[in-house]
Amino acid sequence: MSNPITAAKSATPFVTSEAMVPVAALFVGIALPLGHDQLDHLPVPFELVASLVIIGFVFWTVFVVLHHAEAIAHRVGEPFGTLVLTTAVTAIEASVIVSVMLHGTPNPTIARESVFSTVMIVCAGVIGLALLLGGWRHHHREHKRQGTSALLAVIMALSVLVLVLPNYTLRTGPGEFSPLQLMFISGLCLLLYIGFVIGQTQRYREDFLDAEAGSIGRHEASGSPVRSFVLLGIGLVGIVLMAEYVAATLETALEAAHVEQVGAIVGAFVATLVLLPETVAAIRAAMHNQLQRSLNIALGSACATIGMAVPIVALISLFTGHPLILGLGPGDTVLLLLALGVSIVSFGSGRTTVLTGVVHLVIFVAYVLLIAVP
């Protein structure tokens, strides 16, 4: 005989926070542009409180979206479940980058800062936390060197092509591609990512699976996958609309305060916001001794950001005529190469420890410091 409480819950599946939060986020995201003028006329303390409330709601929505993404991931299995998370996050990031790039005064560096921040947060911050916390609980941990090496190879190729190569082309100024070069590099990025996904999900699928099966997380594969998919889409649209408002407001406030690193701060904010679901999922997998899945989620998000988001942003730039500067400065280039180089060494042996995570976190702290004190 079924439990009446459980039956009552299943009879009203949409009267839950998991269902109501994405719907509310969509309505809030639609209402924010309409009430933008009213918010601007509020006294400064009230405007600040309103912005903080919106930011808090965005983060809450992100965690609810993660719940639905994980429910779908349970249904489709690995490594397809990881692709659900990376695709969802990439859709958010590309949309926010485009909206900020086209907002007000043209911001030609927002894509560069967001992509660079994504790579640094993933390769230094997320990986560092996953290795530190997971290593603290499970000591030495093994991973599939073939799969991890493939992920790092793709990230290295994409990062250098997009963030370093523009500084050494001759057709345009430093840091820029000509339209033909931009189309060609964007096409290469997309093809490389598609090739990687095909290899990950088909021919070399075993290279990306943990040797020992375990629990993916605290959410079980219950409920309708169609419902989770619909609520995931609604939540993503709501997050994009709200994040667009928050990022634009943050950019305006920083410019009014005459802050030097406006682009870097906004880019880091966008990357942090959209990477939050994957950060939680990666750390959770590491804590459950699923190091390979943790690496798939974290490094896969960096691959997807460059392989999918950059072509989308490049296409918008070409059609709208907005300038796009992708080349990094000397200091950021050194940090990027350091993070990638340390990642190669860290995963070269197939085994990681707490010390490995500490090294990555040190690089992440240096990255954060140079944003605050350039």
Side-chain angles (χ1 to χ4, degrees):
M1 184 173 179
S2 62
N3 190 326
I5 298 178
T6 304
K9 288 184 178 179
S10 61
T12 57
F14 282 89
V15 188
T16 62
S17 62
E18 288 82 3
M20 296 305 296
V21 169
V23 176
L26 179 61
F27 281 105
V28 171
I30 294 173
L32 279 175
L34 301 178
H36 180 72
D37 293 336
Q38 288 75 9
L39 289 173
D40 284 345
H41 286 90
L42 288 175
V44 174
F46 291 99
E47 185 178 358
L48 178 60
V49 170
S51 298
L52 292 176
V53 170
I54 294 170
I55 292 174
F57 187 59
V58 170
F59 279 96
W60 184 18
T61 308
V62 166
F63 279 103
V64 174
V65 165
L66 172 64
H67 170 86
H68 294 294
E70 286 192 335
I72 299 172
H74 275 282
R75 291 287 183 177
V76 301
E78 287 298 321
F80 299 99
T82 299
L83 293 177
V84 173
L85 292 173
T86 55
T87 302
V89 168
T90 304
I92 297 174
E93 183 157 18
S95 301
V96 175
I97 290 173
V98 170
S99 65
V100 175
M101 185 176 69
L102 302 180
H103 168 75
T105 305
N107 190 338
T109 63
I110 183 62
R112 177 191 70 188
E113 301 297 346
S114 298
V115 172
F116 171 63
S117 296
T118 298
V119 176
M120 291 303 301
I121 290 172
V122 166
C123 292
V126 179
I127 292 297
L129 280 175
L131 296 182
L132 176 65
L133 298 178
W136 191 271
R137 172 177 288 187
H138 302 287
H139 305 289
H140 293 87
R141 295 183 304 159
E142 308 287 338
H143 65 92
K144 296 284 188 70
R145 282 187 292 178
Q146 299 91 334
T148 307
S149 296
L151 281 163
L152 288 174
V154 173
I155 291 176
M156 289 180 65
L158 293 174
S159 299
V160 174
L161 284 174
V162 172
L163 299 175
V164 179
L165 183 61
N167 291 325
Y168 299 96
T169 56
L170 303 178
R171 290 276 180 170
T172 57
E176 296 182 72
F177 282 127
S178 69
L180 178 60
Q181 291 170 338
L182 185 59
M183 287 190 294
F184 184 72
I185 294 298
S186 298
L188 287 180
C189 291
L190 187 59
L191 288 175
L192 179 57
Y193 181 69
I194 291 174
F196 166 74
V197 170
I198 293 173
Q200 183 188 24
T201 56
Q202 296 183 18
R203 189 162 188 173
Y204 307 108
R205 183 178 178 182
E206 293 297 324
D207 292 343
F208 299 90
L209 298 179
D210 280 292
E212 298 180 2
S215 172
I216 294 178
R218 63 183 178 85
H219 300 299
E220 298 297 331
S222 59
S224 169
V226 176
R227 171 179 176 267
S228 295
F229 184 80
V230 171
L231 291 173
L232 173 64
I234 293 173
L236 288 177
V237 174
I239 291 171
V240 169
L241 294 175
M242 290 188 295
E244 175 184 351
Y245 169 81
V246 173
T249 303
L250 176 62
E251 184 181 24
T252 302
L254 292 174
E255 289 176 350
H258 303 289
V259 176
E260 296 180 7
Q261 296 280 83
V262 174
I265 295 174
V266 174
F269 170 78
V270 171
T272 301
L273 176 64
V274 300
L275 284 174
L276 186 59
E278 294 200 336
T279 300
V280 175
I283 294 175
R284 184 179 296 163
M287 295 293 286
H288 285 87
N289 203 23
Q290 291 188 322
L291 179 59
Q292 189 59 51
R293 182 171 188 268
S294 177
L295 297 177
N296 292 346
I297 294 172
L299 297 177
S301 64
C303 290
T305 295
I306 308 176
M308 294 170 56
V310 169
I312 293 173
V313 173
L315 188 64
I316 298 296
S317 174
L318 291 171
F319 272 101
T320 61
H322 281 70
L324 189 62
I325 299 176
L326 294 173
L328 293 173
D332 290 342
T333 301
V334 171
L335 277 177
L336 175 67
L337 297 179
L338 177 62
L340 295 175
V342 168
S343 297
I344 295 173
V345 176
S346 297
F347 301 115
S349 65
R351 172 180 288 190
T352 64
T353 63
V354 172
L355 178 59
T356 313
V358 172
V359 174
H360 285 260
L361 287 176
V362 166
I363 299 174
F364 178 71
V365 171
Y367 158 72
V368 174
L369 175 65
L370 291 178
I371 291 180
V373 187

